[in-house]
Each structure stands twice: as C-alpha cells, then as structure tokens.
C-alpha cells in the first residue's frame, strides 16, 4: 500500500465519519428545539411569532455546526491539499 | 491487497457506516418532534395549524442532516474521485 | 485472500451492519411517536383525526431514514459498482 | 483460509448479528407502544377501539424494521450473490 | 485451522450470541408491558378484560422478535447451508 | 491448536456467555414486573387475584426468553452437532 | 500451549465470567423487588401477607436465572464434557 | 509460557474479576433496599418490625448472589480441578 | 509508508475528528439554550427582549467552543507547521 | 518473560483492579443509604433511633461486599498459592 | 518512521483531540448555565441584572477550562519543546 | 524487557489506576451524602445535630473504601512483595 | 524509535489527554453550580450576597481540580524529570 | 526500548491519567454539594451558617480523594522508587 492509497483511504474514511457523527448532535438539538417550540406554542399561542422567530435563529445557529462538518467533509473529498500534493508529485515525477 | 481494493473496501465500509449511523439521530429527533407535536395538539387543538406548520419546517431541517449523510454515502459509491483516479490510472497504464 | 474476496466480505458485513444498526433509531422513534399518539388520543379523543393524520405523516418521515439504510444495503448486495468492476476485470481478463 | 471460507464466515456472522441487534429496537419500541396503549385504555376506556386500531397500525410500522433485518439475514444465508458467484466459480473451474 | 473448523466455530459463536443478545430486548419489553398492564388493572379494574387481551396481542408481537433470533440460531446450528456445502465437499472428495 | 480444540473452546465460551448475558434481561424484566405487581396490590388490594394471575402469565412469557438461552447453552455443551462430527471424524479415521 | 491447556483456560475464564456477570441482573432485580415491597408495606400495612407472598414467589423466579448461571459455571468446572474427552484421550493414549 | 503458568494466570485473573464485578450489583441492590427501608420506616414507623423483617430476608437473598461469586472465586484459587490436574501431572511425571 | 504520508494521514484524520466531535457538544448546548429560551418566552412574554439578548450572548459563548475546533481543524489542513517542515525538507533536499 | 514474572504481574494487576473496581459499588450504595437516612431523619426525627440502627445494619451488609474484594486482593498479594508453588519450585530446584 | 515523524504525528493527533474533547464539557456547561439564566429571568424579571452579572462571571470561569485546552493545543502545534529539540538536533547535526 | 521491568511497570500502572478509579465512587457518594445533609438541614434545622452526626459516621464508612484503594496503591509502590523478591534475587545472585 | 522519542511522545500524548479530560468534570460541575446559583437568586433575591459568596468559594474549590490537571500537564511539557535525565544522558555522553 | 524507558513512559502515562481521571469525580461531587448548598440557603436563609459549615467540612472530605490522586501522581513523577532503583543501577554499574 503506497502513500497515495493511504491518503485516499484516510480521506474517504474521515469524510464519512465526520459527516456521519458530526450531524448527530445538530439533529438531536434541532429536534429538541423544535419540540420545545411546539410545546411553547401550545402553551402560549399568542406569542407564536416571537417563538417562531427565535426558533429559526436558533436552528440556523445549530445547523451551522452541521455545516462545519459537511464543509470539512467536502474539503477532504474534493479539495484535499495533501492529495493534491501527492498527485502533483506522482504526475510531475 | 492492492491500492484499488483498499479504496473500494474503504468506500463500501464508510458508505454503509455513514448512512447507518448518520440516520440515527435524525430519526430520534423526528420521533421526538412528532411526539411533542401530538402532545401539543392534544393540549391545544385550536393551534393545530400553527403547530403542524412549525412541525413540518422543523422536520425538514432535521431531515436535512440525514440527507447530508446519504449524499456523502452516494458520492462515495457512485462519484468517488479517489476511485475514479485509480481506475483511470489502471486503465491508462 | 484476493481483492474480490475482500470486496465481497466488506459488502456482506456492511450490508448487514447498515440495516441492523440503521433500523434501530427509526424503530425507537416510531415507538415513541405511536406511544405519544395513544396518550394524546386518550387525553383528547375529539382530536383523534388530526392526531392520527399528523402521526402518519411523522411515521412516514421517520420510516424514510430506515429506507435509506435498507436502500444502501440492497445497493451493496445487488448493485455494487466496485464488485461489478472487479467481476468485469476477472471475466475480461 | 480461502476465499470461500471467508465469505461463508462473514455471511454467518453478519446474518446472526443483523437479526440479533436489529430486533432489539423494534422489541423495545413495541413494548413501549403496548405499554402506553394499556395506560391509555385504563385512562379512557371509551376510546379503546381507536386506541387499539392506532396501536396495531403503529406495531405494523415498527415490526417492518425488524422484518428488514430478518430479510437481509435470510438473503445472506439463502440467496447470497457473492456466495453463489464463488460456488459457480468453484464448480465451473 | 481449516475451512470447516472456521465455519463451525463461527456458527457456534453466532448461534449463541444471536440468542443471547436477541432475547434481551424482548424480555425487557415484555417486562415493561406486563408492568404497565398491572398498573392499568390496579387503576381501572373494570377494563381488565380489554387490557388483558391487548396485553396478550402485544406480548405475541414482541415475542415474535425473540423467535426470529431463536430461529436464526437454530438454522445456524442444525440447517446451516454453508456447513452442509463444506461437509458435502469433504465427503464427496 | 487443532480443529477439535477450537470447536471445544468456542462451545465452552459461548455456552457461558449466552447464559450469562441472556439471563440478565429476563431477570431485570421480572424484577420490574414483580415490583409493579406489589405496587398494584398495595394500591388496589381487591384486584389482587387478577393482578397475581396476570403477573404469573407475564413471568412465564419473560422466563421463556431465559429458557431459550439456557437451551442453546445446553445444546452447545451436550448436543453440539459440530463437535459430534469432529469426534466421529477423529474416531473413524 | 496445547489443547488441554486451552480448554482448561477457557473453562476457568468462562466459569468466572458467567457467574460474575450473570448474577448482576438478578441482584439488581431482587433489590428492586424488595425495595418496592417495603414501599408497598409502608403504604398498605394491611396487605402485607399478600405482598410478602407475591414477593417470595417473584424472588424465586428471579433467583432461578442466577441459578442457571451458577449451574453452567459448575458444569464447566466439575462436569465439563470437553475436558473429560481430552483427559480420556490423554490417558488412553 | 507453559501450560501451568497459563492456568495459574487465568485463575488469578478470573478470581479477582469475578469477585470484583460480581459484588457490584449486590452492593447497589442492598443499598437500594436499605434506602427504601429507611424511607418506609420514616413514612410508617408503626410497621417497622414487618419492614425490618422483610428487609433482612431480602438482603439475605441478594447477598446470596455475592456469595456465589465469592465461592467461585475461592474454588478457582484454592480448589481448582484444572490446576490440581496439572500439578499432579507435573509431580507424577 | 514514509514520514510525509504519516503526517498527512494524521492531519486528515484529526482534522475530521476534531470538527466532527468538537461540534457535538456546542450543538447540543445550543439546542438546550434555544429550547429554554422558547419556554421562557412562552412563560413570560413581557421579558422576551431580555431573554433574547441573553440568549444571543450565550449562543455566542457556546459557538466559540465550536469555532476553536474548526480553527484547529483548518490549521491542520491549510497551515500545518509539521507538514510545511517536511515539504520544505523534501523540496530543499 | 518467565512463568514467575507472569504470575507476579497478573497478581499485581488483579489485586489493584479488584480493589479499585470492587469498592465502587459499595461506596455508591453507602452514599445512597446514608443520604436516605438523612432525609428520613429530617422527615421523621422521632424515628431516628430505629433509622440509625437499620442504617448501620445495612451499611455493615454493604461494606461486607467491599471486604470480599479487599480480602481477595490481599490473598493475591500476600497468600497467593500459585506464587507460593512457583517460588517453592524455583527454590527446591 | 523516524523520531521526528513520531513526534510530529503525536503532536498533531493530541492537538486535535485535546481541543475536540476538551471543549465539549465547557460547551455543555455553558449551555446549562445560559438555559438556567433564561429560566431565572423568566421567573424573576426584576432580578435580571444580578442574574446576568452572575451568569457572565460563571461563563468566564467555565470558558477558562476550554481556554486551558486550546492553550495546550496551540503549545503543541506552535511551541512544542520536544519538536524544537528534535529540529535543533537535525539541524545541528 | 526483563522480569524486573515488567513487575515495576505493572506496579506503577496499577498503583495509579487503583487510586484514580477507586476514589471516584467515594467522591461521588460523599458528594451525594453531603448534598442530602444540606437539604435535610434546610428542611429541618432543629435536627441538625443528629443529621451532622449521622453524616460524619456515613462519610467515615464511605471514605474507608477510598482508603482501601489508597492502601493497595501504597503497598504496590512501597511494600511490593513481588518486587522485593525480584530485587533480592538480583542482589543475591 | 529510541528512548528519547518514546518519552517525548508519551509526554505529549499525556499532557494533552490530562488537560483534555481533566477539565471536563470541573467545567460540568461549575456549570451546575452556576446554574443552581441563578435559580437560587431567582427564588430568594434577598439572599443573593450569601449565595454569590458561597458560589465563588465553591467555584474556587472546583477550579482547583482543573488546575491540578493543568499543572501536571505543564510539568510534563516544560519540567519533565524523565526527559531532562535523558537529555542530560544524551548530552553528557 | 530498554527498561529505563519503559519505566519512565509508564510513570509519565500513569501520572497524567491518575490526575486526569481521579479529579473528575471530586469535581462533580463538589459541584453537586455546592449546588445543593445554594439551594438550601435559598430555601432556609436563617440556617446559612450551619449549612456553610457543613458544606466546608464536606468539601474537605471530597477534596481529600482528589488529593490522594495528585499525591500518587507526584510520587510517580518525583519520588518513584522503581525509577530511583533503575537510575542507581545505571549509575552504579
């Protein structure tokens, strides 16, 4: 197994793991936030615009952590500097 | 075991793991959101349109994290740049 | 152990694991949703059509994550591009 | 240990694991659903037909995830394409 | 360690594991269902026929998942196609 | 370490593990059921015959899963087809 | 390390593990049952004969799972068929 | 590392593990039982003789599972049939 | 596998892991904070400006820990001093 | 690494582990019992002699499981039959 | 793999792990503190200045533990004495 | 790595582990006991002498389990019979 | 890999781990203390000076455990006696 | 890797681990004790001297377990008898 293969394998594995694990917490957190929003609306229907607005800001914040993971994952698959270096070495050699 | 095999195996393994693990949290989160929605409707039937609408927006947000995992999984199976590179090497050689 | 065997073993293992693990969370989530629906009906029998309808939409969303896993599993067993490539190599060789 | 053995062992192991693990969550979820149904009936005996009907639909949905696992398990034991390929190779050789 | 031994060992191990693990969740779920039934009867003695009937249907559903595991376990011990194939090879040879 | 030893060791190990792990959940479940029965009797002493009867049926169902494990364990120690085959081979040879 | 040693070591290890792990759940379950019995007596002193009787039947059921483990453990130490076979081989040889 | 050493090491390790792990659950269960007894006495001081008696019977049952583990542990250290066999072999040889 | 490959692989793996794990806790914490904010608004709509302001300060503090992880991850991919040193060695050599 | 060293190392490791792990549960259980006793005294100061007496009996029972572990640990360090045998062999040889 | 590589790899791995894990607890703790602050404000709006001030002091204390981890991480990447020593050795040689 | 080193390493490792793990449970248990004592005093200030006295007896019992671990740890570092034997062998030789 | 490298790697790894793990519990504990303080102030605003003072003393005690870890970590990086000894050996040689 | 290195590495690793893990439980326990103290003061401000005094005694007891770990850690780094022995051997040789 040469260098290139190791780097490719590592990139594949970590790209999957990062997205797979990194989206767990945001999903759970969003589920909790949405659930509480529904409870809050049921309890105080008059405040539903404020609740909905706060909910969406919060969901955006939480989603951002999932985005970080997805971004790292995409960088590792499509813009991996280590892979590019190795390819350029293999090509230029 | 040559390079190609390693990359193929890693892609297969990670494709399965990413989807298998990555859909757990969204499922749980959706279950929680749906459950709370049902409680909320039972508690305040008059607010059911607002509740349902908020629920669907929330479910879409949560489902999005499952989609990320599924997308990474599909990329690894059907549009894997590392695999494509290795195949092109093997073919062009 | 040659390449073909590795790929076959990995596909078998991951097909099973993905389905085995990936259906856990949907099952639990559906159990929770159904349980809450029953509580809600008992608490507010008049709202049972709304509750039932929301429940079914929610179950469909949750079931979708189990379907993703089952689909990946079937792809790995019956439409595995890596396996097909290796077979075509072995045959064409 | 030759190819055939590896594939056989992997199929045996995964067939058992998939069913063993994959039926845990449905069992727990069904237990929860049944338990809630009993509580709901005790609390609102008049709604028992609605409750029972919703319960059975829910149990069917949950059972479906256990079925997925059992199906994958049976496919791996009795209709395994990788095993069939290897057997055909061994026979035709 | 030859092929036959590997397959035998894998079958033994998985037969035990599948039953050992696969009966945990049903047992817990049945315990929960029975416990709730007892609470429900204590709370609403008049509904005890309905409760008992629903309980038994539920227990049957839950027991079915334990049966799946036991069936897989028995198949692996007494009707294992991989073992049969290997035996027939060893005998016919 | 020859074949026979491997099979013997695997049988010993799995026989112990299956019983050791497989009786945990039934024990816990029975503990829960008994505990709830006691609470129910304390709460509604008049319903104690119904409660006791339902409890015993439930305990029997739960105990059945422990029995499955014990049966598999005994089969592996005293009626193990793989061991018998190997012994017959060793004897007949 | 010869066959006999492997079998002896496996028997020792599993005998200890089976008892060590297999008695955990019964102990916890009995603790729970006893605790609930005490609460029930404190709450309804008049029902104490019924409660005590039900408790003892329940403890017997739970203790039975611990007995299974202890029995398997003793079989492995003092009536192990695999060990006996190996000893007879070593002696008769 | 010869046979005798392996058996000695395994006996030492398992003797410690069995006692170390096997006394955890009884300790926790006794703690729970005692705690509930104290609550029950505080709540219903008149029933303290009945409570104390039931408590002691229960503690004896729970302690019995710890005794099983201690017994297995002592057997492995001081009356180990496998060790005795090996010693007799070493002596008689 | 030479030095460069090891460093590249380690950087890839850790970059993914750090982001994947390090964003879990912030996501959960933000979900909790948002959920409580919604409850608080529903309970005391008049205090919603104070609540919203405190929420945003808190979210910023929590998000900062996710940022730390993302920063470390980016440093490891794009500004890794160890990688730069190795590259300069390889180039200058 | 000769036999003597293995046995010494195993004894050291297990002596520490047994005490380290085996005293966890008693400590937690005693903490729970003491805590409940304090609550009970605060709730019913008149019953404090009965409570204290029951507490001490219970603590003695719980402490006994910690003593078992400490005893096994001391036996392994200072009265280890396997070590004594090996020493006597080394001396007598 | 020479010394330098080992040290580089260890530094990379630990830098990531320390930040990734070490920021989890502060994030969760801050989430809890913020959540309680919001509840407290909703419950007692008049005390909001005191609450906010105490909250910020507390957040600073909690954030300090995250800073420790980040500092260790930065030291390992940019001011690592072991790496510097090895580099100076390599250079001076 | 010779015998002496193995024994030294094992002693060091286990001395640390035993103290590190063995003091966790006592600390938690003492925290619980102290916390309950504070609650009890707040609830029934008149009983504070009795509460304090019972608390101190309880803390002494709990601390004793931490002492066991510390004692084993010190024995392994400063009065280790296995180490002494090996040293005496090395010296006397 | 020579001695020096091993010691350097171990120091790096442990320095990171100790700080990374050792600051988790203090962070959580401080979060809990701060949260309770906020609740207490909201409940009893008049006692806020006493509460704040007690809180700060408590935070200092808790922070001290995080400091221990940070101190050990810094000792391992900048004042490591084992590293110094090895360096002095390497230099003096 | 010679003896000295092994002992040094083990000492470093365990010194860090012992402090890192051993301070977790005290921190959590102190957090709990402080939190309860704050609640108690808020509930019964008149008893605050008694509460504070009991709290400090309790914190001292809990802190003592953290001290044990720190002491073991310092002994291993600065007064390690095994290391001293090896150094004296190396020097005296």
């Amino acid at each position: 197994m040469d260098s290139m293969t190791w780097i490719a394998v590592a990139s594949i594995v970590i790209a999957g793991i990062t997205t797979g694990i990194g989206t767990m917490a945001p999903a759970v957190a969003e589920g909790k936030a949405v659930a509480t929003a529904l409870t809050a609306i049921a309890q105080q229907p008059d405040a539903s615009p404020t609740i909905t607005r706060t909910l969406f800001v919060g969901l955006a914040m939480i989603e951002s952590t999932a985005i970080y993971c997805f971004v790292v994952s995409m960088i590792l698959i499509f813009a991996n500097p280590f892979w590019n270096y190795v390819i350029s070495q293999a090509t230029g050699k």
Side-chain angles (χ1 to χ4, degrees), chain A:
Chain A
M1 207 167 131
D2 58 354
S3 286
M4 212 160 73
T5 315
W6 267 103
I7 290 178
V9 166
S11 302
I12 289 169
V13 169
I14 292 300
I17 296 286
T18 304
T19 301
I21 290 178
T23 57
M24 289 178 84
V28 169
E30 290 178 1
K32 186 168 188 181
V34 169
T36 327
L38 295 172
T39 309
I41 290 172
Q43 190 184 336
Q44 195 81 2
D46 299 339
S48 80
T50 317
I51 290 172
T52 314
R53 205 177 49 233
T54 310
L55 173 67
F56 288 169
V57 172
L59 287 181
M61 289 295 283
I62 299 171
E63 190 77 13
S64 77
T65 63
I67 301 287
Y68 291 169
C69 294
F70 193 63
V71 161
V72 168
S73 208
M74 286 299 108
I75 288 174
L76 290 179
I77 296 182
F78 293 115
N80 192 326
F82 304 104
W83 173 255
N84 292 342
Y85 179 82
V86 175
I87 292 288
S88 71
Q89 290 300 96
T91 309
K93 210 178 263 173

